[in-house]
Amino acid sequence: MNNWSYSQKEYTLKQSQTGIYQLQDRYNQNVYIVKVREYGCDIETATQQLVYQVKVKKGQTYLRDAGKNLIFSTQSQLSPVAFACFGFDILTRKQQAALAYAVNLTA
């Protein structure tokens, strides 16, 4: 194992020309789609089923599931798209946090 390295990408977050974000797997298939809205953003599956919403209201950002149940909230200045990363259930919590941090730096 002296020369072994791991370079296989698992997931990639891309932004389309229309402003839609797509979390894609290693085969470039959409896993989640994030649509920016006036109130925050919607997180949908590849089949456009709503799974989470991010809403920003009075300095607080909320992540709610499709049933409107509160998952997370924060008063920090994370962008809605960065906060949406916590709705990517296919990732571990550490991966979600790392991706949210990276997205927030670029937003």
Side-chain angles (χ1 to χ4, degrees), residues 29-85:
Q29 299 296 313
N30 287 341
V31 179
Y32 291 105
I33 300 166
V34 178
K35 296 179 179 176
V36 177
R37 304 287 191 210
E38 195 172 291
Y39 53 79
C41 52
D42 292 339
I43 305 157
E44 301 175 350
T45 64
T47 58
Q48 297 185 346
Q49 179 181 351
L50 180 68
V51 286
Y52 292 105
Q53 285 186 317
V54 174
K55 291 190 177 186
V56 179
K57 190 174 183 181
K58 296 181 182 177
Q60 186 119 359
T61 306
Y62 303 92
L63 177 67
R64 296 186 184 272
D65 65 16
K68 306 289 184 201
N69 298 308
L70 180 65
I71 306 300
F72 286 121
S73 68
T74 186
Q75 292 181 350
S76 68
Q77 298 300 312
L78 278 175
S79 73
V81 175
F83 204 64
C85 296

Side-chain angles (χ1 to χ4, degrees), residues 1-5:
M1 289 202 142
N2 291 340
N3 293 325
W4 184 84
S5 68

